[in-house]
Amino acid sequence: MDQKKVESIIWKVNIVLGVIFIGVLAMFFVRKNQVANAAKESETTQTVSQTAAQTGGETAGETGKETTGQTAVSDASQTTGSTEAGTEASAQTQSGTNTAANDTQTADVQETDTTHETVIGDAASIVTGEPVTVTATGSQTVGDDWLFVQGNRIVDSTGKPVWLTGINWFGYNTGTNTFDGLWNSDLRVSVKGIADHGFNLIRVPISTELLLQWKSGVYPQANFNQATNDYLVGMNSLEIFDYFLSLCEQHGLKVMLDVHCAKTNAAGHNQPMWYDGDITEAKFIEGWTWVAQRYANNDTIIAFDLENEPHGKPYENPRAIWNNSTDPNNWKYVAEKTAAAIFEKNPNVLIMIEGLEIYPKDLATNSDYHSTDEKDYYFS
């Protein structure tokens, strides 16, 4: 080969190698800066310690004197994470951006040392077809690990901002009747692994059907690897859930319970509404109030996500709507009613209310969602 051609090839190869080297070096410094910035941000914003006394709470909907509709809407930023625990690791970071679901007034918080006392409302009516009204006759002395909402932030009992950084671990909604992945992984190791990865919250999807079964003393069989999780053998599905809560407390993790579907079904999230067949609105509320009462004194469960992604397109029936009506498919009305019933059993828990798939662009002409034209709606 011609000497000049050889030199030309070597020269080009050197240029390529040089570019690659510079790129790798640049990526190294970028990553180094990202890690440093993340560590700095974590030091200044991560106020939730990985201990059993980690967080504490109340929602924007819990506060307020003479308040109508004591619920809170959460805008949660979502990221993606993974663990070695074999769990679904769709990480959800709750930034604490909450707005009132109806016209609420923030109550004045009276401080005595580090204990807050806030006047909250008692539900005056949760009857189907009647507006939800609230009167300021209840009181709450907040302690333990319950959380508060101040403005658009979630804070602990001392007023420090709290970041809830968690994963979603399904199974109680699918028919597994415990956590998916336990046919391969150890529950104890998994929970510890989640905490060791820096998470402080686990969102647990469940079905209304299973809650009502537990309430009536029926415990569908939990499916798991009995060799790997031999210590769970002999426990029913509810006892395993309670054992899981004890592990979370041990490792400083909090739990958000999420009704993912009405019926127990791995594809139940495709059902747009909180009701389905014999799981009526009344049964939906019954399931939640049973949970609220059972765990009223357990601050490991700090939040209830009332319903996963109520949805439906303009031309579909049923579809979830959001307005001031008492229509059975009005998620705003049902969420307020459900939250009021929950607060009668547990005034401390955070209430998370997810938004809808559609919302009218022009409320003056389409607040009742009569249009079936997609152009008349915003989509989420």
Side-chain angles (χ1 to χ4, degrees):
M1 182 180 293
D2 184 84
Q3 181 66 27
K4 290 184 178 180
K5 289 184 178 180
V6 172
E7 291 176 352
S8 176
I9 292 173
I10 293 175
W11 181 73
K12 291 178 180 178
V13 169
N14 287 334
I15 290 177
V16 171
L17 291 176
V19 170
I20 293 174
F21 174 77
I22 293 172
V24 171
L25 191 64
M27 290 175 63
F28 170 78
F29 282 109
V30 168
R31 178 58 181 162
K32 183 177 180 181
N33 289 336
Q34 288 177 338
V35 172
N37 290 338
K40 183 178 180 180
E41 181 178 354
S42 176
E43 291 176 359
T44 58
T45 62
Q46 185 74 23
T47 62
V48 183
S49 63
Q50 293 291 330
T51 63
Q54 182 179 3
T55 51
E58 165 190 20
T59 69
E62 292 176 57
T63 65
K65 301 179 181 179
E66 298 180 357
T67 303
T68 300
Q70 299 200 1
T71 57
V73 179
S74 298
D75 296 327
S77 60
Q78 298 199 355
T79 57
T80 301
S82 61
T83 73
E84 296 173 353
T87 66
E88 176 195 7
S90 174
Q92 181 177 2
T93 303
Q94 174 59 49
S95 64
T97 304
N98 288 259
T99 57
N102 206 343
D103 295 331
T104 60
Q105 298 176 348
T106 303
D108 294 332
V109 179
Q110 300 175 352
E111 296 189 17
T112 303
D113 297 328
T114 59
T115 301
H116 294 182
E117 183 172 348
T118 305
V119 176
I120 64 169
D122 290 338
S125 173
I126 55 171
V127 179
T128 300
E130 295 183 7
V132 178
T133 58
V134 180
T135 56
T137 58
S139 62
Q140 174 194 34
T141 300
V142 177
D144 301 319
D145 287 352
W146 302 111
L147 296 178
F148 297 87
V149 167
Q150 289 183 350
N152 64 351
R153 299 186 304 170
I154 292 178
V155 299
D156 64 15
S157 60
T158 67
K160 295 180 180 179
V162 172
W163 285 83
L164 300 178
T165 307
I167 70 163
N168 191 72
W169 196 358
F170 62 82
Y172 274 104
N173 58 310
T174 65
T176 300
N177 300 314
T178 186
F179 298 100
D180 272 28
L182 293 187
W183 50 74
N184 185 51
S185 62
D186 184 298
L187 178 61
R188 292 172 178 168
V189 175
S190 298
V191 172
K192 182 178 184 300
I194 292 169
D196 288 346
H197 277 74
F199 297 105
N200 58 34
L201 181 78
I202 301 177
R203 179 177 182 256
V204 180
I206 200 166
S207 70
T208 297
E209 181 179 13
L210 182 57
L211 293 179
L212 295 173
Q213 287 173 322
W214 284 353
K215 179 177 183 290
S216 63
V218 176
Y219 310 102
Q221 181 179 352
N223 299 290
F224 58 92
N225 187 321
Q226 296 190 8
T228 304
N229 299 277
D230 57 345
Y231 51 90
L232 298 180
V233 175
M235 296 186 193
N236 63 43
S237 53
L238 176 57
E239 290 170 337
I240 292 173
F241 179 75
D242 286 342
Y243 180 70
F244 159 76
L245 292 180
S246 71
L247 293 176
C248 288
E249 182 179 8
Q250 177 183 339
H251 293 288
L253 291 164
K254 297 301 179 183
V255 172
M256 177 190 296
L257 197 60
D258 154 56
V259 164
H260 215 68
C261 47
K263 298 288 189 72
T264 300
N265 187 339
H269 57 279
N270 293 320
Q271 168 65 25
M273 311 302 287
W274 46 94
Y275 54 84
D276 185 8
D278 61 342
I279 305 296
T280 62
E281 176 191 301
K283 291 293 185 181
F284 172 75
I285 296 175
E286 180 184 342
W288 269 123
T289 53
W290 175 78
V291 170
Q293 184 167 19
R294 177 179 173 84
Y295 297 106
N297 297 316
N298 189 337
D299 59 6
T300 296
I301 303 183
I302 58 165
F304 292 160
D305 184 352
L306 295 190
E307 173 70 14
N308 179 71
E309 299 175 358
H311 61 277
K313 294 177 173 54
Y315 51 83
E316 292 179 329
N317 186 28
R319 69 188 192 284
I321 66 174
W322 185 279
N323 58 26
N324 292 321
S325 73
T326 57
D327 294 340
N329 64 329
N330 181 9
W331 175 230
K332 176 179 181 290
Y333 170 62
V334 174
E336 289 174 344
K337 188 161 50 171
T338 305
I342 287 172
F343 287 144
E344 288 186 337
K345 306 296 183 182
N346 181 359
N348 299 302
V349 70
L350 285 167
I351 300 292
M352 306 296 178
I353 300 175
E354 300 192 32
L356 308 181
E357 182 176 8
I358 60 173
Y359 192 75
K361 292 180 178 179
D362 188 347
L363 293 177
T365 61
N366 192 33
S367 63
D368 62 354
Y369 288 71
H370 68 269
S371 174
T372 58
D373 189 342
E374 291 186 348
K375 295 179 181 179
D376 292 333
Y377 296 90
Y378 297 108
F379 280 77
S380 60

